[in-house]
Amino acid sequence: MRQQRRKLGELLVEAGLVTEEQVQRALRAKKDTQRIGELLIQDGYITERQLMSTLERQLGIPYVGLYQYAVDKKAVGLVPKQLAKRYLLLPLKIENNKLHVAMVDPLDFFAVDDLRMATGYQIERALATKEDVIRGLNKYYGYDDTMEHLLEDAQPSQELRDEQALEDDSPVVKLVNQILMNAVAHKASDIHIDPHESKVVIRYRIDGTMVTDKTLPKQMQSMVVARIKIMSNLNITEHRIPQDGRIKLNLERYPIDIRVSTLPAIYGEKVVMRILDANSTVKDLDKMDFHPDNYRRFLKMIERPTGIVLITGPTGSGKSSTLYAALNRLNTEKVNIITVEDPVEYQLEGISQVQVNANVGLTFAAGLRAMLRQDPNIMMVGEIRDTETAEIATRAALTGHLVLSTLHTNDSVSTITRLIDMGIEPFLVAASLAGIVSQRLVRRVCRDCGQPHPPSAREAEIFTARGRKVERIFRGKGCGNCNMTGYKGRIAVHEVLVIDDFVRKLIMDNSSLSAIQEYARSNGTIFLMDDGLMKVTQGLTTTEEVFQVAIGD
């Protein structure tokens, strides 16, 4: 198998899709269970379609896209669920005494032999992406109509609901597991369980957009919520106040870490679950989509010995990922780095990470105070939420520490006003701030179906107003790999404001935000809108996406 993987790398190099250096880098980063193709896709060097077409040529086995494929349920019924999930394969159809099967690894001859023994058919192999097969498995081997009838017929007594929520083999447990697995398969960041008057709607947030997955009967609501509460160690008898919990489990070989929030609404408790990707590794800073000028400015900020560097933006804008990438860059044996977070999303070797626990009084402020007695060089505070935390962070920056943190503001310049509004004196803000990065995430044009188009008159007008020219704009026409949306994945747009001596003077003089903004523009600051439009000209995103996150002058 290793020989096959090396040949795949050679084929990709020969096709001009990757360089030898990129292949070698992927081989060095590869773990035993990973395939080099998956790593090259993960690093953005190739697309799934490019990998599949190369594998198709290499193996002589046809590739099949499973999006909207008419799978024969008789074929699915022939293959046991455990067998399909163990080997990551999906039965497609029966034709001329042959069972056609989509496989992630069609060279797994043990899987082919087991299939032949279990079904009695000759096996016709086809190649499919891992993502497609997992979605198919969840769809065809997941929660079926029989289970739904069982839940619909369940008596509405609270005692029975609690019993079903506890039993490992009960339908409600299988339903919740399938909801979680579907979310992971679709690479969702959040799961929303929305109670309505006569139904319960399950929605996922995929690439920042809400997508409805399924609708459940109203009588299933209390059992589903009870099951989630049990998994996250919440009080299942409390329905009047919001609750927060956490779920850690291995589901079908996937480690899943989930933050759970419940909120009483008029039609019952709404549940939102944030999926923390336990399989993700911390990205390198040079892979965080920074413009070269912004990248140089940000590096200069975080390599200072003292000061506060703030990353701002709304929830879900990738602030934590950028913070972790910065810490990863700074993490050497010569410095002592301590963090206080809620929650600790990634575990970094060589860094002391503290989990906030408000129940025992370990808040951000208390953790930050304790960190100052631990002789740190660099401190990371997950979020500045209150005046006390802001004051301690400011004092720490003034006494010889580099402090990294996040704040919820609309842009880099308004962050200065936000700190002053929190009660920090302007002279302290000016003296302690090193720089501010405002960040947003926009959907990326699908690399498999993106096509160039001439800009519309309105788009040309927008670019001209910002002093830029555009000849073509890429848009995705929709394909199986992007679920016909035209977008797949997300990229970041940034605004990096360096706090130099002139900006400090403007802050201490209580100058207006427009004055600071005007100076920043003259000093070469790339604002969110400009960075977004640059990425549009590079074919990475669309003007519609940029206008969702950035406001023009």
Side-chain angles (χ1 to χ4, degrees):
M1 289 296 287
R2 289 186 180 180
Q3 187 181 2
Q4 291 288 352
R5 286 174 183 150
R6 284 199 296 271
K7 286 181 179 176
L8 172 63
E10 291 167 11
L11 278 172
L12 291 168
V13 172
E14 286 170 14
L17 297 174
V18 294
T19 64
E20 183 64 36
E21 182 187 351
Q22 290 167 342
V23 171
Q24 293 304 320
R25 192 182 304 161
L27 283 169
R28 286 193 295 271
K30 188 174 77 68
K31 297 176 184 176
D32 290 339
T33 57
Q34 288 179 308
R35 293 182 171 86
I36 188 168
E38 290 177 3
L39 280 173
L40 291 170
I41 291 172
Q42 186 179 304
D43 290 338
Y45 297 135
I46 59 173
T47 67
E48 279 184 326
R49 181 169 290 180
Q50 289 169 338
L51 174 65
M52 288 299 119
S53 62
T54 306
L55 281 171
E56 196 172 14
R57 290 198 308 273
Q58 179 200 27
L59 305 175
I61 296 172
Y63 162 69
V64 59
L66 299 182
Y67 184 78
Q68 292 184 334
Y69 188 96
V71 172
D72 184 353
K73 291 191 176 181
K74 288 182 181 177
V76 173
L78 283 173
V79 180
K81 175 182 177 181
Q82 292 76 12
L83 189 66
K85 292 201 169 186
R86 187 193 314 148
Y87 292 121
L88 284 179
L89 54 87
L90 184 68
L92 301 177
K93 60 183 178 180
I94 302 165
E95 197 173 82
N96 299 329
N97 204 36
K98 288 183 179 178
L99 176 64
H100 292 253
V101 181
M103 303 177 70
V104 173
D105 184 4
L107 294 182
D108 189 342
F109 295 107
F110 291 108
V112 174
D113 287 342
D114 283 356
L115 267 178
R116 193 182 295 118
M117 293 280 288
T119 64
Y121 283 88
Q122 290 298 311
I123 307 303
E124 192 70 27
R125 297 167 295 162
L127 185 65
T129 65
K130 186 176 181 180
E131 190 175 328
D132 272 356
V133 170
I134 290 172
R135 285 182 188 173
L137 289 173
N138 283 312
K139 181 177 180 180
Y140 293 103
Y141 287 100
Y143 183 81
D144 58 21
D145 294 335
T146 308
M147 295 181 188
E148 189 164 332
H149 288 310
L150 283 170
L151 285 174
E152 286 178 4
D153 295 337
Q155 296 175 19
S157 72
Q158 186 65 47
E159 186 180 347
L160 181 59
R161 287 170 181 167
D162 293 348
E163 278 181 19
Q164 291 203 347
L166 282 165
E167 292 171 2
D168 288 341
D169 292 331
S170 71
V172 69
V173 170
K174 292 177 181 176
L175 169 63
V176 172
N177 286 351
Q178 195 222 352
I179 290 170
L180 297 178
M181 283 302 296
N182 276 350
V184 172
H186 285 86
K187 292 184 168 58
S189 59
D190 300 88
I191 305 169
H192 288 242
I193 298 176
D194 295 332
H196 293 241
E197 186 175 7
S198 59
K199 61 185 178 182
V200 181
V201 178
I202 310 296
R203 297 193 295 166
Y204 299 145
R205 187 176 292 280
I206 302 171
D207 289 340
T209 303
M210 297 297 291
V211 177
T212 298
D213 178 62
K214 64 178 66 174
T215 301
L216 303 176
K218 183 69 174 177
Q219 53 265 47
M220 293 167 64
Q221 177 183 322
S222 58
M223 289 183 284
V224 170
V225 173
R227 175 58 187 167
I228 293 168
K229 284 184 175 181
I230 288 167
M231 294 173 76
S232 49
N233 294 317
L234 300 179
N235 184 352
I236 63 172
T237 63
E238 180 57 76
H239 310 285
R240 300 164 298 172
I241 59 173
Q243 297 187 69
D244 294 301
R246 193 162 181 175
I247 299 172
K248 273 192 170 187
L249 73 160
N250 280 309
L251 204 59
E252 302 287 354
R253 298 181 298 176
Y254 292 95
I256 298 178
D257 193 359
I258 300 170
R259 274 185 288 171
V260 179
S261 171
T262 69
L263 181 70
I266 58 172
Y267 294 124
E269 288 177 282
K270 175 179 170 66
V271 180
V272 176
M273 296 182 276
R274 164 65 56 88
I275 300 172
L276 307 175
D277 193 349
N279 285 321
S280 284
T281 54
V282 177
K283 288 185 178 179
D284 292 333
L285 202 55
D286 56 4
K287 293 180 182 174
M288 299 302 293
D289 308 313
F290 278 100
H291 182 278
D293 291 348
N294 283 341
Y295 182 67
R296 284 192 292 272
R297 290 181 175 208
F298 186 56
L299 271 187
K300 195 173 178 182
M301 282 180 199
I302 64 173
E303 287 172 355
R304 288 171 48 116
T306 64
I308 298 178
V309 177
L310 291 174
I311 300 177
T312 72
T315 302
S317 59
K319 301 187 298 295
S320 295
S321 296
T322 304
L323 266 186
Y324 278 111
L327 287 178
N328 206 30
R329 173 87 180 202
L330 298 169
N331 187 15
T332 67
E333 291 182 357
K334 296 180 180 178
V335 294
N336 177 25
I337 303 177
I338 307 177
T339 75
V340 56
E341 308 169 56
D342 183 24
V344 175
E345 293 188 24
Y346 301 98
Q347 295 179 3
L348 299 175
E349 190 174 348
I351 294 179
S352 303
Q353 295 173 271
V354 178
Q355 168 75 52
V356 165
N357 187 350
N359 293 331
V360 295
L362 181 53
T363 60
F364 278 116
L368 193 49
R369 265 197 221 94
M371 283 161 61
L372 287 168
R373 297 190 287 272
Q374 293 285 318
D375 186 32
N377 299 99
I378 300 166
M379 300 189 293
M380 191 271 268
V381 185
E383 185 183 341
I384 293 178
R385 294 179 179 173
D386 51 47
T387 302
E388 187 180 11
T389 307
E391 285 177 348
I392 300 167
T394 303
R395 305 280 178 190
L398 293 173
T399 53
H401 304 90
L402 177 66
V403 181
L404 306 178
S405 190
T406 68
L407 199 62
H408 288 264
T409 56
N410 289 330
D411 56 34
S412 57
V413 177
S414 63
T415 304
I416 296 166
T417 309
R418 174 81 177 114
L419 288 171
I420 294 170
D421 288 345
M422 290 177 82
I424 310 301
E425 294 292 339
F427 75 91
L428 287 176
V429 173
S432 60
L433 261 185
I436 304 163
V437 178
S438 184
Q439 177 170 312
R440 300 290 189 279
L441 293 178
V442 293
R443 288 187 294 173
R444 183 182 194 128
V445 173
C446 176
R447 295 171 67 193
D448 286 321
C449 65
Q451 295 181 340
H453 295 270
S456 66
R458 174 61 180 149
E459 285 172 328
E461 185 183 319
I462 291 164
F463 275 86
T464 303
R466 307 293 294 195
R468 304 187 181 281
K469 289 184 179 179
V470 60
E471 294 179 358
R472 59 180 187 175
I473 287 173
F474 278 79
R475 297 185 193 281
K477 66 175 183 178
C479 66
N481 283 337
C482 62
N483 287 333
M484 304 305 292
T485 62
Y487 298 98
K488 188 172 176 67
R490 289 190 288 178
I491 57 171
V493 293
H494 303 95
E495 179 177 301
V496 180
L497 177 66
V498 178
I499 308 297
D500 60 15
D501 290 339
F502 192 79
V503 175
R504 290 190 178 94
K505 184 177 184 305
L506 290 173
I507 294 171
M508 287 190 285
D509 291 345
N510 286 320
S511 299
S512 66
L513 291 184
S514 58
I516 298 173
Q517 199 168 31
E518 195 55 45
Y519 169 74
R521 181 179 283 106
S522 67
N523 199 34
T525 298
I526 300 171
F527 291 97
L528 279 174
M529 176 67 76
D530 297 307
D531 192 34
L533 293 179
M534 280 188 232
K535 288 180 166 73
V536 172
T537 60
Q538 293 165 9
L540 299 175
T541 188
T542 61
T543 48
E544 292 87 354
E545 284 295 300
V546 173
F547 277 107
Q548 291 280 343
V549 299
I551 302 170
D553 297 341

